[in-house]
Amino acid sequence: MNDTTWQGRTVLVTGAEGFIGSALVDELVALGAHVRALCHYKPYGAAGNLARYASDHRAELLAGDVRDPFVVDEAVAGVEVVFHLAALIGIPYSYTAPESYVQTNVVGSHAVVAACRRHGARMVHTSTSETYGSALRVPMDETHPAQPQSPYAASKIAADAMVLSYHASFGTEVAVCRPFNTYGPRQSARAVIPTILRQLAAGADEIRLGSTTPTRDFTHVSDTVAGFLTVGSSDAALGRAVNLGTGQEISIGALAELLIQVSGRDARVVVDEARLRPEASEVDRLLSDNGLARSLGWEPLTSLEDGLRDTWRWVLGTDEPGSTRYVV
């Protein structure tokens, strides 16, 4: 499957209502794909980030749960490529409810890859840079050891192994995208960048954070989406994990100062002990080696400063929700 266009293809996106998932749906629709969007069932029926597609034939909204193999089988039947983004995310909650992460992230991913095997669909599975834990060497390429420093990370390591085993065992077309700290419009306030920006937008003169010393490799959502599409159309990615990061790092403290600068507000950073992770669980450094992704034809195009300005405009509401155009 070397054709890099998506015109006329039928694809499934799980976790489609989420931050990255909804951006991916937007781009696939813009590129001419017919998209099935599987979202977690809600009894009140809200479509959230995908509300615009409620009466748009280009996207078919499905409600269900990836832990249910019957729902997943029906969703996968007849599609060419499955982008599997559905997951229980958020590190702090995984300390409280680790079994929930196993069920959604491991059992759910198995349901998806098993359905892909039955129906002959290609699967692009979503991993996370948290699987690497604190850097043992930098930059971190795909051979960096996995280190489960939280139940969340452990569940994603297990899910990665499960889906890749289907490629090795059965020849199922599987590739793994491993994003590094994606940020941008629509991201929930649980993440550090929208947390800081929302405090600034509310007029706070103190920005309350957990540890400010860890470093991260922040990737704008438009670049992450482009990476998913590159991996999804690349035969060379099959059976492999592919890092999607910029190859640049910044400490959380320096990031906060940059966000204050971007916002034009006057504030200072304060460490809030209630926001600190357990000491052994904190990932101190993440910095990607994106050489493999570049060899497939992908490169990050959005600078951190430009991406933060884009996110700040979204937080202020000066852009309509979802107005960002995600270009490959």
Side-chain angles (χ1 to χ4, degrees), residues 238-249:
L238 296 176
R240 309 172 82 173
V242 182
N243 287 342
L244 299 177
T246 66
Q248 300 178 29
E249 64 183 327

Side-chain angles (χ1 to χ4, degrees), residues 46-94:
N49 290 327
L50 299 182
R52 76 188 70 188
Y53 297 113
S55 58
D56 189 331
H57 70 279
R58 295 175 300 172
E60 178 186 0
L61 305 187
L62 307 176
D65 190 318
V66 292
R67 295 172 296 179
D68 186 328
F70 302 102
V71 168
V72 171
D73 191 78
E74 289 185 358
V76 172
V79 307
E80 295 181 58
V81 181
V82 176
F83 291 96
H84 176 47
L85 288 86
L88 189 56
I89 59 175
I91 292 169
Y93 186 55
S94 76

Side-chain angles (χ1 to χ4, degrees), residues 102-285:
V102 173
Q103 290 299 318
T104 299
N105 297 348
V106 184
V107 176
S109 294
H110 178 252
V112 175
V113 73
C116 287
R117 179 194 178 197
R118 285 192 297 272
H119 294 287
R122 173 171 294 190
M123 178 181 181
V124 180
H125 172 71
T126 308
S127 181
T128 169
S129 56
E130 289 285 335
T131 62
Y132 294 132
S134 295
L136 300 177
R137 60 175 187 268
V138 291
M140 309 163 85
D141 66 11
E142 292 81 0
T143 67
H144 188 284
Q147 300 181 94
Q149 289 181 226
S150 66
Y152 165 68
S155 73
K156 296 298 285 185
I157 291 169
D160 293 355
M162 178 60 72
V163 299
L164 288 171
S165 78
Y166 266 64
H167 178 75
S169 300
F170 311 116
T172 307
E173 293 194 353
V174 171
V176 174
C177 283
R178 189 163 285 149
F180 275 68
N181 298 99
T182 301
Y183 72 97
R186 303 181 190 169
Q187 188 172 29
S188 76
R190 66 168 186 81
V192 64
I193 288 175
T195 289
I196 294 171
L197 289 179
R198 290 187 185 282
Q199 289 181 60
L200 290 167
D205 56 8
E206 290 185 348
I207 304 303
R208 307 189 71 82
L209 300 173
S211 179
T212 60
T213 58
T215 67
R216 295 292 185 266
D217 183 335
F218 289 100
T219 309
H220 191 266
V221 64
S222 61
D223 289 323
T224 298
V225 165
F228 271 85
L229 298 178
T230 297
V231 170
S233 61
S234 173
D235 290 340
L238 296 176
R240 309 172 82 173
V242 182
N243 287 342
L244 299 177
T246 66
Q248 300 178 29
E249 64 183 327
I250 185 171
S251 72
I252 300 303
L255 173 71
E257 296 296 338
L258 182 57
L259 287 166
I260 292 169
Q261 178 184 326
V262 164
S263 72
R265 304 297 171 93
D266 185 16
R268 66 187 185 94
V269 176
V270 176
V271 174
D272 182 352
E273 291 190 4
R275 297 173 182 260
L276 295 173
R277 296 181 185 176
E279 184 175 352
S281 180
E282 181 65 78
V283 174
D284 295 320
R285 191 178 187 190

Side-chain angles (χ1 to χ4, degrees), residues 257-321:
E257 296 296 338
L258 182 57
L259 287 166
I260 292 169
Q261 178 184 326
V262 164
S263 72
R265 304 297 171 93
D266 185 16
R268 66 187 185 94
V269 176
V270 176
V271 174
D272 182 352
E273 291 190 4
R275 297 173 182 260
L276 295 173
R277 296 181 185 176
E279 184 175 352
S281 180
E282 181 65 78
V283 174
D284 295 320
R285 191 178 187 190
L286 290 174
L287 174 61
S288 74
D289 181 330
N290 59 20
L292 176 55
R294 287 180 179 274
S295 75
L296 300 177
W298 175 83
E299 63 176 322
L301 300 177
T302 306
S303 70
L304 181 59
E305 292 81 358
D306 286 345
L308 295 180
R309 291 189 189 96
D310 176 46
T311 311
W312 174 239
R313 288 192 296 270
W314 175 76
V315 166
L316 290 179
T318 54
D319 284 343
E320 289 295 318

